[in-house]
Coordinates of all heavy atoms in Angstrom, one line a residue:
M743 N -111.3 147.4 -165.3 CA -111.2 146.0 -164.8 C -111.9 145.9 -163.5 O -111.9 146.8 -162.7 CB -109.7 145.7 -164.7 CG -109.5 144.4 -163.9 SD -107.8 143.9 -163.7 CE -107.5 143.1 -165.3
I744 N -112.5 144.8 -163.2 CA -113.1 144.5 -161.9 C -112.0 144.2 -160.9 O -111.2 143.3 -161.1 CB -114.0 143.2 -162.1 CG1 -115.0 143.3 -163.2 CG2 -114.7 142.9 -160.8 CD1 -115.4 142.0 -163.8
V745 N -111.9 145.0 -159.9 CA -110.9 144.8 -158.9 C -111.4 143.9 -157.8 O -112.5 144.1 -157.3 CB -110.4 146.2 -158.3 CG1 -109.4 146.0 -157.2 CG2 -109.9 147.1 -159.4
I746 N -110.6 142.9 -157.5 CA -111.0 141.9 -156.5 C -110.1 141.9 -155.3 O -108.9 142.0 -155.5 CB -111.0 140.5 -157.2 CG1 -111.8 140.4 -158.4 CG2 -111.4 139.4 -156.2 CD1 -111.7 139.1 -159.2
D747 N -110.6 142.0 -154.1 CA -109.8 142.0 -152.9 C -108.9 140.8 -152.9 O -109.3 139.6 -153.1 CB -110.7 141.9 -151.7 CG -111.4 143.2 -151.4 OD1 -111.0 144.2 -151.9 OD2 -112.5 143.2 -150.7
G748 N -107.6 141.0 -152.6 CA -106.6 139.9 -152.5 C -106.2 139.4 -153.8 O -105.4 138.4 -153.8
V749 N -106.6 139.9 -154.9 CA -106.2 139.4 -156.3 C -105.6 140.6 -157.0 O -106.2 141.6 -157.3 CB -107.5 138.9 -157.0 CG1 -107.1 138.4 -158.4 CG2 -108.2 137.8 -156.3
D750 N -104.3 140.4 -157.4 CA -103.6 141.4 -158.1 C -103.8 141.3 -159.6 O -104.1 140.2 -160.1 CB -102.1 141.2 -157.9 CG -101.7 141.5 -156.4 OD1 -102.3 142.4 -155.8 OD2 -100.7 140.9 -155.9
A751 N -103.7 142.4 -160.3 CA -103.8 142.4 -161.8 C -102.4 142.2 -162.3 O -101.4 142.7 -161.8 CB -104.4 143.7 -162.3
V752 N -102.3 141.4 -163.4 CA -101.0 141.2 -164.1 C -101.3 141.7 -165.6 O -102.4 141.8 -166.0 CB -100.5 139.8 -164.1 CG1 -100.1 139.4 -162.7 CG2 -101.5 138.8 -164.7
T753 N -100.2 142.0 -166.2 CA -100.2 142.5 -167.6 C -99.3 141.7 -168.5 O -98.5 140.9 -168.0 CB -99.8 144.0 -167.7 OG1 -98.4 144.1 -167.3 CG2 -100.7 144.8 -166.7
D754 N -99.4 142.0 -169.8 CA -98.4 141.4 -170.7 C -97.0 141.6 -170.3 O -96.1 140.8 -170.4 CB -98.6 141.9 -172.1 CG -99.8 141.3 -172.9 OD1 -100.3 140.3 -172.4 OD2 -100.1 141.9 -174.0
A755 N -96.7 142.9 -169.7 CA -95.4 143.3 -169.4 C -94.8 142.5 -168.2 O -93.6 142.2 -168.1 CB -95.4 144.8 -169.1
D756 N -95.7 142.2 -167.2 CA -95.1 141.6 -166.0 C -95.6 140.1 -165.8 O -95.3 139.5 -164.8 CB -95.4 142.4 -164.7 CG -96.9 142.5 -164.4 OD1 -97.8 141.9 -165.1 OD2 -97.3 143.3 -163.5
F757 N -96.3 139.5 -166.7 CA -96.9 138.2 -166.6 C -95.7 137.2 -166.3 O -95.9 136.3 -165.4 CB -97.7 137.8 -167.8 CG -98.3 136.4 -167.7 CD1 -99.5 136.3 -167.2 CD2 -97.6 135.3 -168.2 CE1 -100.1 135.0 -167.1 CE2 -98.2 134.0 -168.1 CZ -99.5 133.9 -167.6
D758 N -94.7 137.2 -167.1 CA -93.6 136.2 -167.0 C -93.0 136.2 -165.6 O -92.8 135.2 -165.0 CB -92.6 136.4 -168.1 CG -93.1 136.0 -169.5 OD1 -94.2 135.6 -169.6 OD2 -92.3 136.0 -170.4
H759 N -92.8 137.5 -165.1 CA -92.2 137.6 -163.8 C -93.1 137.2 -162.7 O -92.8 136.4 -161.8 CB -91.7 139.0 -163.6 CG -91.2 139.3 -162.2 ND1 -90.0 138.8 -161.8 CD2 -91.7 139.9 -161.1 CE1 -89.8 139.2 -160.5 NE2 -90.9 139.9 -160.1
E760 N -94.4 137.7 -162.7 CA -95.4 137.5 -161.6 C -96.0 136.1 -161.6 O -96.3 135.6 -160.5 CB -96.5 138.6 -161.8 CG -96.1 140.0 -161.5 CD -95.7 140.2 -160.0 OE1 -96.2 139.6 -159.1 OE2 -94.8 141.1 -159.8
V761 N -96.1 135.5 -162.8 CA -96.8 134.2 -162.8 C -95.8 133.1 -163.1 O -95.7 132.2 -162.3 CB -97.9 134.2 -163.9 CG1 -98.5 132.8 -164.1 CG2 -99.0 135.2 -163.6
L762 N -95.0 133.2 -164.2 CA -94.1 132.1 -164.5 C -93.0 132.0 -163.5 O -92.4 130.9 -163.3 CB -93.6 132.2 -165.9 CG -94.7 132.3 -167.0 CD1 -94.0 132.4 -168.4 CD2 -95.7 131.2 -166.9
G763 N -92.6 133.1 -162.9 CA -91.4 133.2 -162.0 C -91.8 133.1 -160.5 O -91.0 133.2 -159.7
A764 N -93.1 132.9 -160.3 CA -93.6 132.8 -158.9 C -93.1 131.5 -158.2 O -93.0 130.5 -158.8 CB -95.1 132.9 -158.9
G765 N -92.9 131.7 -156.9 CA -92.5 130.5 -156.1 C -93.7 129.6 -155.7 O -93.5 128.5 -155.3
L766 N -94.9 130.1 -155.8 CA -96.1 129.3 -155.5 C -96.8 129.0 -156.8 O -96.6 129.6 -157.8 CB -97.0 130.2 -154.7 CG -96.6 130.7 -153.3 CD1 -97.6 131.7 -152.8 CD2 -96.5 129.5 -152.4
P767 N -97.7 128.0 -156.7 CA -98.7 127.8 -157.9 C -99.5 129.1 -158.0 O -99.8 129.8 -157.0 CB -99.6 126.7 -157.4 CG -98.8 126.0 -156.4 CD -98.0 127.0 -155.7
V768 N -99.8 129.5 -159.2 CA -100.6 130.7 -159.5 C -101.9 130.4 -160.3 O -101.8 129.7 -161.3 CB -99.7 131.7 -160.3 CG1 -100.5 133.0 -160.5 CG2 -98.4 132.0 -159.7
L769 N -103.0 130.9 -159.8 CA -104.3 130.8 -160.5 C -104.5 132.1 -161.2 O -104.5 133.2 -160.6 CB -105.4 130.6 -159.5 CG -106.8 130.6 -160.0 CD1 -107.0 129.5 -161.1 CD2 -107.9 130.5 -158.9
V770 N -104.6 132.1 -162.5 CA -104.8 133.2 -163.3 C -106.2 133.2 -163.9 O -106.6 132.2 -164.5 CB -103.8 133.3 -164.5 CG1 -104.0 134.5 -165.4 CG2 -102.3 133.2 -164.1
E771 N -106.9 134.3 -163.6 CA -108.2 134.5 -164.2 C -108.1 135.4 -165.4 O -107.7 136.5 -165.3 CB -109.3 135.1 -163.3 CG -110.6 135.3 -164.0 CD -111.5 136.3 -163.4 OE1 -111.1 137.2 -162.6 OE2 -112.7 136.2 -163.6
F772 N -108.4 134.9 -166.6 CA -108.4 135.7 -167.8 C -109.8 136.3 -167.9 O -110.8 135.5 -167.9 CB -108.1 134.8 -169.1 CG -106.7 134.3 -169.2 CD1 -106.3 133.2 -168.5 CD2 -105.8 135.0 -169.9 CE1 -105.0 132.7 -168.6 CE2 -104.5 134.6 -170.0 CZ -104.1 133.4 -169.3
T773 N -109.9 137.6 -167.8 CA -111.2 138.3 -167.6 C -111.4 139.5 -168.5 O -110.4 139.8 -169.2 CB -111.3 138.7 -166.1 OG1 -112.6 139.2 -165.8 CG2 -110.2 139.8 -165.8
A774 N -112.6 140.0 -168.5 CA -112.9 141.2 -169.3 C -114.0 142.0 -168.6 O -114.8 141.4 -167.9 CB -113.3 140.9 -170.7
D775 N -114.0 143.3 -168.7 CA -115.0 144.2 -168.1 C -116.4 143.8 -168.5 O -117.3 143.9 -167.7 CB -114.7 145.6 -168.4 CG -113.6 146.2 -167.6 OD1 -113.2 145.6 -166.5 OD2 -113.0 147.2 -168.0
W776 N -116.5 143.4 -169.8 CA -117.9 143.1 -170.3 C -118.4 141.7 -170.0 O -119.5 141.3 -170.4 CB -117.8 143.3 -171.8 CG -116.6 142.6 -172.5 CD1 -115.5 143.2 -172.8 CD2 -116.5 141.2 -172.8 NE1 -114.6 142.3 -173.4 CE2 -115.2 141.1 -173.4 CE3 -117.3 140.1 -172.7 CZ2 -114.7 139.9 -173.8 CZ3 -116.8 138.9 -173.1 CH2 -115.5 138.8 -173.7
C777 N -117.6 140.9 -169.2 CA -117.9 139.5 -169.0 C -118.8 139.4 -167.7 O -118.3 139.6 -166.6 CB -116.6 138.8 -168.9 SG -116.8 137.1 -168.2
G778 N -120.0 139.0 -167.8 CA -120.9 138.8 -166.7 C -120.5 137.7 -165.8 O -120.4 137.9 -164.6
P779 N -120.2 136.5 -166.3 CA -119.7 135.4 -165.5 C -118.4 135.8 -164.7 O -118.2 135.3 -163.6 CB -119.4 134.2 -166.4 CG -120.4 134.5 -167.6 CD -120.4 136.0 -167.7
C780 N -117.6 136.7 -165.3 CA -116.4 137.1 -164.6 C -116.7 137.9 -163.3 O -116.1 137.7 -162.3 CB -115.5 138.0 -165.5 SG -114.9 137.2 -167.0
R781 N -117.8 138.7 -163.4 CA -118.3 139.4 -162.2 C -118.8 138.5 -161.2 O -118.6 138.7 -160.0 CB -119.3 140.5 -162.6 CG -118.7 141.7 -163.3 CD -119.7 142.8 -163.4 NE -120.7 142.5 -164.5 CZ -120.5 142.7 -165.8 NH1 -119.4 143.1 -166.2 NH2 -121.5 142.4 -166.6
Q782 N -119.5 137.4 -161.6 CA -120.0 136.4 -160.7 C -118.9 135.7 -159.9 O -119.0 135.3 -158.8 CB -120.8 135.3 -161.4 CG -122.1 135.8 -162.0 CD -122.8 134.7 -162.8 OE1 -122.2 133.9 -163.4 NE2 -124.1 134.8 -162.8
L783 N -117.8 135.5 -160.6 CA -116.6 134.8 -160.1 C -115.8 135.6 -159.1 O -115.1 135.1 -158.3 CB -115.7 134.3 -161.2 CG -114.7 133.2 -161.0 CD1 -115.3 132.0 -160.4 CD2 -114.0 132.9 -162.3
A784 N -115.9 136.9 -159.2 CA -115.1 137.8 -158.4 C -115.1 137.5 -156.9 O -114.0 137.4 -156.3 CB -115.5 139.3 -158.6
P785 N -116.3 137.4 -156.2 CA -116.2 137.1 -154.8 C -115.7 135.7 -154.5 O -115.1 135.5 -153.4 CB -117.7 137.2 -154.3 CG -118.5 137.1 -155.6 CD -117.6 137.6 -156.7
V786 N -115.8 134.7 -155.4 CA -115.3 133.4 -155.2 C -113.7 133.5 -155.2 O -113.1 132.9 -154.4 CB -115.8 132.5 -156.4 CG1 -115.0 131.1 -156.3 CG2 -117.3 132.3 -156.3
L787 N -113.2 134.2 -156.2 CA -111.7 134.4 -156.3 C -111.2 135.1 -155.1 O -110.1 134.7 -154.6 CB -111.3 135.1 -157.6 CG -111.5 134.3 -158.9 CD1 -111.1 135.1 -160.1 CD2 -110.8 133.0 -158.8
S788 N -111.9 136.1 -154.6 CA -111.4 136.8 -153.4 C -111.4 135.9 -152.2 O -110.4 135.9 -151.5 CB -112.4 138.0 -153.2 OG -112.0 138.7 -152.1
A789 N -112.4 135.1 -152.0 CA -112.4 134.1 -150.9 C -111.3 133.1 -151.1 O -110.6 132.8 -150.1 CB -113.8 133.4 -150.9
V790 N -111.1 132.6 -152.3 CA -110.0 131.6 -152.5 C -108.7 132.2 -152.2 O -107.8 131.6 -151.6 CB -110.1 131.0 -153.9 CG1 -108.9 130.2 -154.3 CG2 -111.4 130.1 -154.0
A791 N -108.5 133.4 -152.7 CA -107.2 134.1 -152.5 C -106.9 134.3 -151.0 O -105.8 134.0 -150.5 CB -107.2 135.5 -153.1
G792 N -107.9 134.6 -150.2 CA -107.8 134.7 -148.7 C -107.5 133.4 -148.1 O -106.6 133.3 -147.2
E793 N -108.3 132.4 -148.4 CA -108.1 131.1 -147.8 C -106.8 130.3 -148.2 O -106.3 129.6 -147.4 CB -109.3 130.2 -148.2 CG -110.6 130.5 -147.5 CD -111.7 129.6 -148.0 OE1 -111.5 128.5 -148.5 OE2 -112.9 130.1 -147.8
Q794 N -106.4 130.6 -149.4 CA -105.2 129.9 -149.9 C -103.9 130.7 -149.8 O -102.9 130.3 -150.4 CB -105.4 129.4 -151.3 CG -106.6 128.5 -151.5 CD -106.4 127.1 -150.8 OE1 -105.3 126.5 -150.9 NE2 -107.4 126.6 -150.1
A795 N -104.0 131.9 -149.1 CA -102.8 132.7 -149.0 C -101.6 131.9 -148.5 O -101.7 131.2 -147.5 CB -103.1 133.9 -148.1
G796 N -100.4 132.1 -149.1 CA -99.3 131.3 -148.7 C -99.1 130.0 -149.4 O -98.1 129.4 -149.5
R797 N -100.2 129.5 -150.0 CA -100.2 128.2 -150.8 C -100.5 128.4 -152.3 O -100.0 127.7 -153.1 CB -101.3 127.3 -150.3 CG -101.0 126.8 -148.8 CD -102.1 125.8 -148.4 NE -102.1 124.6 -149.3 CZ -103.2 124.0 -149.7 NH1 -104.4 124.4 -149.2 NH2 -103.2 123.0 -150.5
L798 N -101.2 129.5 -152.6 CA -101.6 129.8 -154.0 C -101.7 131.3 -154.2 O -102.3 132.0 -153.3 CB -103.0 129.1 -154.2 CG -103.7 129.4 -155.6 CD1 -102.9 128.6 -156.7 CD2 -105.1 129.0 -155.5
K799 N -101.1 131.7 -155.3 CA -101.2 133.2 -155.6 C -102.4 133.3 -156.6 O -102.5 132.4 -157.6 CB -99.9 133.6 -156.3 CG -99.8 135.0 -156.7 CD -98.4 135.3 -157.2 CE -98.3 136.7 -157.7 NZ -96.9 137.0 -158.1
V800 N -103.3 134.3 -156.5 CA -104.4 134.4 -157.4 C -104.2 135.8 -158.1 O -104.1 136.8 -157.4 CB -105.7 134.4 -156.6 CG1 -106.9 134.5 -157.6 CG2 -105.9 133.0 -155.9
V801 N -104.2 135.8 -159.4 CA -104.1 137.0 -160.2 C -105.2 137.1 -161.3 O -105.7 136.0 -161.6 CB -102.7 137.2 -160.8 CG1 -101.6 137.3 -159.7 CG2 -102.4 136.1 -161.8
Q802 N -105.4 138.2 -161.8 CA -106.3 138.4 -163.0 C -105.6 139.1 -164.1 O -104.7 140.0 -163.9 CB -107.6 139.0 -162.6 CG -107.5 140.4 -162.1 CD -108.9 140.9 -161.6 OE1 -108.9 141.8 -160.8 NE2 -110.0 140.5 -162.1
L803 N -106.0 138.8 -165.3 CA -105.4 139.4 -166.5 C -106.5 139.9 -167.4 O -107.4 139.0 -167.8 CB -104.5 138.4 -167.3 CG -103.8 139.0 -168.5 CD1 -102.3 139.1 -168.3 CD2 -104.1 138.2 -169.7
D804 N -106.6 141.1 -167.7 CA -107.6 141.7 -168.6 C -107.3 141.3 -170.1 O -106.2 141.8 -170.6 CB -107.7 143.2 -168.4 CG -108.9 143.8 -169.2 OD1 -108.8 143.7 -170.5 OD2 -109.8 144.3 -168.6
V805 N -108.1 140.5 -170.7 CA -107.8 140.1 -172.1 C -107.8 141.2 -173.1 O -107.1 141.1 -174.1 CB -108.7 138.9 -172.5 CG1 -108.6 137.7 -171.6 CG2 -110.2 139.3 -172.6
D806 N -108.6 142.2 -172.9 CA -108.7 143.3 -173.9 C -107.5 144.1 -173.9 O -107.0 144.6 -175.0 CB -109.9 144.1 -173.6 CG -111.2 143.4 -173.9 OD1 -111.3 142.5 -174.8 OD2 -112.2 143.7 -173.2
S807 N -106.8 144.4 -172.7 CA -105.7 145.2 -172.7 C -104.3 144.4 -172.7 O -103.3 145.0 -172.7 CB -105.7 146.2 -171.5 OG -106.0 145.5 -170.3
N808 N -104.5 143.1 -172.7 CA -103.3 142.2 -172.7 C -103.4 141.1 -173.7 O -103.4 139.9 -173.3 CB -103.0 141.7 -171.3 CG -102.8 142.8 -170.3 OD1 -101.7 143.4 -170.2 ND2 -103.8 143.1 -169.5
P809 N -103.4 141.4 -175.0 CA -103.6 140.4 -176.0 C -102.5 139.4 -176.2 O -102.7 138.3 -176.6 CB -103.8 141.2 -177.3 CG -103.1 142.5 -177.0 CD -103.2 142.7 -175.6
E810 N -101.2 139.8 -175.8 CA -100.1 138.9 -176.0 C -100.2 137.6 -175.2 O -100.1 136.5 -175.8 CB -98.8 139.7 -175.7 CG -97.5 138.9 -175.9 CD -96.3 139.7 -175.5 OE1 -96.1 140.9 -175.9 OE2 -95.6 139.2 -174.6
V811 N -100.4 137.7 -173.9 CA -100.5 136.6 -173.0 C -101.7 135.8 -173.4 O -101.7 134.5 -173.4 CB -100.4 137.0 -171.6 CG1 -100.8 135.8 -170.7 CG2 -99.1 137.5 -171.2
T812 N -102.8 136.5 -173.6 CA -104.1 135.8 -174.0 C -103.9 134.9 -175.2 O -104.3 133.8 -175.2 CB -105.2 136.9 -174.3 OG1 -105.3 137.7 -173.1 CG2 -106.5 136.3 -174.6
A813 N -103.2 135.4 -176.2 CA -103.0 134.7 -177.4 C -102.0 133.5 -177.2 O -102.1 132.4 -177.7 CB -102.5 135.6 -178.6
R814 N -101.0 133.8 -176.4 CA -99.9 132.8 -176.1 C -100.5 131.5 -175.5 O -100.1 130.4 -175.9 CB -98.9 133.3 -175.1 CG -97.8 132.4 -174.9 CD -96.8 132.8 -173.7 NE -96.5 134.2 -173.6 CZ -95.9 134.7 -172.5 NH1 -95.5 133.9 -171.5 NH2 -95.6 135.9 -172.4
Y815 N -101.6 131.6 -174.7 CA -102.2 130.5 -174.1 C -103.5 130.1 -174.8 O -104.2 129.2 -174.2 CB -102.4 130.7 -172.6 CG -101.0 130.8 -171.9 CD1 -100.4 132.0 -171.5 CD2 -100.2 129.6 -171.7 CE1 -99.2 132.1 -171.0 CE2 -99.0 129.7 -171.2 CZ -98.4 130.9 -170.8 OH -97.2 131.0 -170.3
G816 N -103.8 130.7 -175.9 CA -105.0 130.3 -176.7 C -106.3 130.5 -176.0 O -107.3 129.7 -176.2
V817 N -106.4 131.5 -175.1 CA -107.6 131.8 -174.4 C -108.7 132.4 -175.3 O -108.4 133.5 -175.9 CB -107.3 132.7 -173.2 CG1 -108.6 133.1 -172.5 CG2 -106.4 132.0 -172.2
L818 N -109.8 131.8 -175.4 CA -110.9 132.3 -176.3 C -112.2 132.6 -175.5 O -113.0 133.4 -176.0 CB -111.2 131.2 -177.4 CG -110.0 130.9 -178.3 CD1 -110.4 129.7 -179.2 CD2 -109.6 132.0 -179.1
A819 N -112.4 132.1 -174.4 CA -113.6 132.3 -173.6 C -113.3 132.9 -172.3 O -112.3 132.6 -171.7 CB -114.3 130.9 -173.4
M820 N -114.2 133.7 -171.8 CA -114.1 134.3 -170.5 C -115.2 133.8 -169.6 O -116.3 133.7 -170.0 CB -114.2 135.8 -170.6 CG -113.1 136.7 -171.2 SD -111.6 135.9 -171.6 CE -111.7 135.8 -173.3
P821 N -114.9 133.6 -168.3 CA -113.6 133.6 -167.7 C -112.9 132.3 -168.0 O -113.5 131.2 -168.0 CB -113.8 133.8 -166.2 CG -115.2 133.1 -166.0 CD -116.0 133.4 -167.3
T822 N -111.6 132.3 -168.2 CA -110.8 131.1 -168.3 C -109.9 131.2 -167.0 O -109.3 132.2 -166.8 CB -109.9 131.0 -169.5 OG1 -110.8 130.8 -170.7 CG2 -108.9 129.9 -169.5
L823 N -109.8 130.1 -166.3 CA -109.0 130.0 -165.1 C -107.8 129.0 -165.5 O -108.1 127.9 -166.0 CB -109.7 129.5 -163.9 CG -110.9 130.3 -163.5 CD1 -111.7 129.6 -162.4 CD2 -110.4 131.7 -162.9
M824 N -106.6 129.5 -165.3 CA -105.5 128.6 -165.6 C -104.6 128.6 -164.4 O -104.3 129.6 -163.8 CB -104.8 129.2 -166.8 CG -104.1 128.2 -167.7 SD -103.5 128.9 -169.2 CE -104.9 128.8 -170.3
V825 N -104.1 127.4 -164.0 CA -103.2 127.2 -162.9 C -101.8 127.0 -163.5 O -101.6 126.1 -164.4 CB -103.6 126.1 -162.0 CG1 -102.6 125.9 -160.8 CG2 -105.0 126.3 -161.4
F826 N -100.8 127.8 -163.0 CA -99.4 127.6 -163.4 C -98.6 127.1 -162.2 O -98.8 127.6 -161.1 CB -98.9 129.0 -163.9 CG -99.5 129.4 -165.2 CD1 -100.7 130.0 -165.3 CD2 -98.8 129.2 -166.4 CE1 -101.2 130.5 -166.5 CE2 -99.3 129.6 -167.6 CZ -100.6 130.3 -167.6
R827 N -97.8 126.2 -162.5 CA -96.8 125.7 -161.4 C -95.5 125.5 -162.1 O -95.4 124.9 -163.1 CB -97.3 124.4 -160.9 CG -96.6 124.0 -159.6 CD -97.2 122.8 -158.9 NE -97.4 121.7 -159.8 CZ -98.4 120.8 -159.6 NH1 -99.2 120.9 -158.6 NH2 -98.5 119.8 -160.5
A828 N -94.4 126.1 -161.4 CA -93.1 126.1 -162.0 C -93.0 126.6 -163.4 O -92.3 126.0 -164.2 CB -92.5 124.7 -161.9
G829 N -93.8 127.6 -163.7 CA -93.7 128.3 -165.0 C -94.5 127.6 -166.1 O -94.5 128.0 -167.3
E830 N -95.2 126.5 -165.8 CA -96.0 125.7 -166.8 C -97.5 125.7 -166.4 O -97.8 125.6 -165.3 CB -95.5 124.3 -166.9 CG -94.1 124.2 -167.3 CD -93.9 124.6 -168.8 OE1 -94.8 124.4 -169.6 OE2 -92.8 125.2 -169.0
P831 N -98.4 125.8 -167.5 CA -99.8 125.7 -167.2 C -100.1 124.2 -166.9 O -99.7 123.3 -167.6 CB -100.5 126.1 -168.5 CG -99.4 126.0 -169.5 CD -98.1 126.1 -168.9
V832 N -100.7 123.9 -165.7 CA -101.0 122.5 -165.3 C -102.5 122.2 -165.3 O -102.9 121.1 -165.2 CB -100.4 122.2 -163.9 CG1 -98.8 122.2 -164.0 CG2 -100.9 123.1 -162.9
K833 N -103.3 123.3 -165.4 CA -104.8 123.0 -165.4 C -105.5 124.2 -166.0 O -105.1 125.4 -165.8 CB -105.3 122.8 -164.0 CG -106.8 122.4 -163.9 CD -107.1 121.9 -162.5 CE -108.6 121.4 -162.5 NZ -108.8 120.1 -163.1
S834 N -106.5 124.0 -166.8 CA -107.3 125.0 -167.4 C -108.8 124.7 -167.1 O -109.2 123.6 -167.3 CB -107.0 125.1 -168.8 OG -107.7 126.2 -169.4
M835 N -109.5 125.8 -166.8 CA -111.0 125.6 -166.5 C -111.7 126.8 -167.2 O -111.2 127.9 -167.1 CB -111.3 125.6 -165.0 CG -110.5 124.6 -164.3 SD -110.5 124.9 -162.5 CE -109.0 125.9 -162.4
V836 N -112.8 126.6 -167.8 CA -113.6 127.7 -168.4 C -114.9 127.9 -167.7 O -115.6 126.9 -167.5 CB -113.8 127.4 -169.9 CG1 -114.6 128.5 -170.6 CG2 -112.4 127.3 -170.6
G837 N -115.3 129.1 -167.4 CA -116.6 129.4 -166.9 C -116.5 129.6 -165.4 O -115.6 129.2 -164.7
A838 N -117.6 130.4 -164.9 CA -117.7 130.6 -163.5 C -118.1 129.3 -162.8 O -118.7 128.4 -163.4 CB -118.8 131.7 -163.2
R839 N -117.7 129.2 -161.5 CA -118.1 128.0 -160.7 C -118.2 128.5 -159.2 O -117.5 129.4 -158.8 CB -117.1 126.9 -160.9 CG -115.7 127.3 -160.5 CD -114.5 127.0 -161.5 NE -114.6 125.8 -162.2 CZ -114.7 125.8 -163.6 NH1 -114.9 126.9 -164.2 NH2 -114.7 124.6 -164.2
P840 N -118.9 127.7 -158.4 CA -119.0 128.0 -157.0 C -117.6 127.7 -156.3 O -116.8 126.9 -156.8 CB -120.1 127.1 -156.5 CG -120.3 126.0 -157.5 CD -119.8 126.6 -158.8
K841 N -117.4 128.3 -155.2 CA -116.1 128.2 -154.5 C -115.8 126.7 -154.2 O -114.7 126.3 -154.4 CB -116.2 129.0 -153.2 CG -114.9 129.0 -152.4 CD -114.9 129.9 -151.2 CE -115.1 129.1 -150.0 NZ -115.1 129.8 -148.8
R842 N -116.8 126.0 -153.7 CA -116.5 124.6 -153.3 C -116.0 123.8 -154.5 O -115.0 123.0 -154.4 CB -117.8 123.9 -152.7 CG -117.5 122.6 -152.1 CD -118.7 122.0 -151.5 NE -119.9 122.2 -152.4 CZ -121.1 121.6 -152.1 NH1 -121.3 120.9 -151.1 NH2 -122.0 121.8 -153.0
K843 N -116.6 124.0 -155.7 CA -116.2 123.2 -156.9 C -114.8 123.7 -157.3 O -113.9 122.9 -157.6 CB -117.2 123.5 -158.0 CG -116.8 122.7 -159.3 CD -117.9 122.7 -160.3 CE -117.6 121.7 -161.4 NZ -117.3 122.2 -162.6
L844 N -114.5 125.0 -157.2 CA -113.2 125.5 -157.6 C -112.1 125.0 -156.7 O -111.1 124.5 -157.1 CB -113.2 127.0 -157.6 CG -111.9 127.7 -157.9 CD1 -111.3 127.3 -159.3 CD2 -112.0 129.2 -157.9
L845 N -112.4 124.9 -155.4 CA -111.4 124.4 -154.4 C -111.1 122.9 -154.7 O -110.0 122.5 -154.6 CB -111.9 124.6 -153.0 CG -111.8 126.1 -152.5 CD1 -112.5 126.2 -151.1 CD2 -110.4 126.6 -152.5
Q846 N -112.2 122.2 -155.0 CA -112.0 120.7 -155.4 C -111.1 120.6 -156.6 O -110.2 119.8 -156.6 CB -113.3 120.1 -155.6 CG -114.2 119.8 -154.4 CD -115.6 119.4 -154.7 OE1 -116.0 119.5 -155.9 NE2 -116.3 118.8 -153.7
E847 N -111.3 121.4 -157.6 CA -110.5 121.4 -158.8 C -109.1 121.8 -158.5 O -108.1 121.2 -159.1 CB -111.1 122.2 -159.9 CG -112.4 121.7 -160.4 CD -113.2 122.6 -161.3 OE1 -113.2 123.8 -161.0 OE2 -113.8 122.1 -162.3
L848 N -108.9 122.8 -157.7 CA -107.6 123.2 -157.4 C -106.8 122.2 -156.5 O -105.6 122.2 -156.6 CB -107.6 124.6 -156.6 CG -108.1 125.8 -157.4 CD1 -108.3 127.0 -156.6 CD2 -107.1 126.1 -158.6
A849 N -107.5 121.5 -155.7 CA -106.8 120.5 -154.8 C -106.0 119.5 -155.6 O -105.0 119.0 -155.1 CB -107.9 119.7 -154.0
E850 N -106.3 119.2 -156.9 CA -105.6 118.3 -157.7 C -104.2 118.9 -158.1 O -103.3 118.1 -158.3 CB -106.3 118.0 -159.0 CG -107.7 117.5 -158.8 CD -108.5 117.6 -160.1 OE1 -108.0 117.9 -161.2 OE2 -109.8 117.3 -160.0
V851 N -104.0 120.2 -158.1 CA -102.8 120.8 -158.6 C -102.1 121.7 -157.7 O -100.9 122.1 -158.0 CB -103.1 121.5 -159.9 CG1 -103.5 120.6 -161.0 CG2 -104.1 122.6 -159.7
V852 N -102.7 122.0 -156.5 CA -102.0 122.9 -155.6 C -101.3 122.1 -154.5 O -101.8 121.1 -154.0 CB -103.0 123.9 -154.9 CG1 -102.4 124.7 -153.8 CG2 -103.5 124.8 -156.0

């Protein structure tokens, strides 16, 4: 898995606790080692995690090793970014994007 500064990895085992039970909105990146756009997105997510610390939790989930959560939310393309608030998915975005665009999209739900 691509390790991103400021971004924790979650798994099928701890997803419900770390994401659905979080006190903050959570941005989940559904990612895979073989995904080129996921690697492009890594520095963007790291920057967003730093800038939004205390307002937004940013995590990543490897789809290859965590098929249960991936299937539960119908994720088919990488990277998929999903925002969860109060245990519910409130926004879904597919594909890499620049930081400014991602922050604009997040402003609607954070």
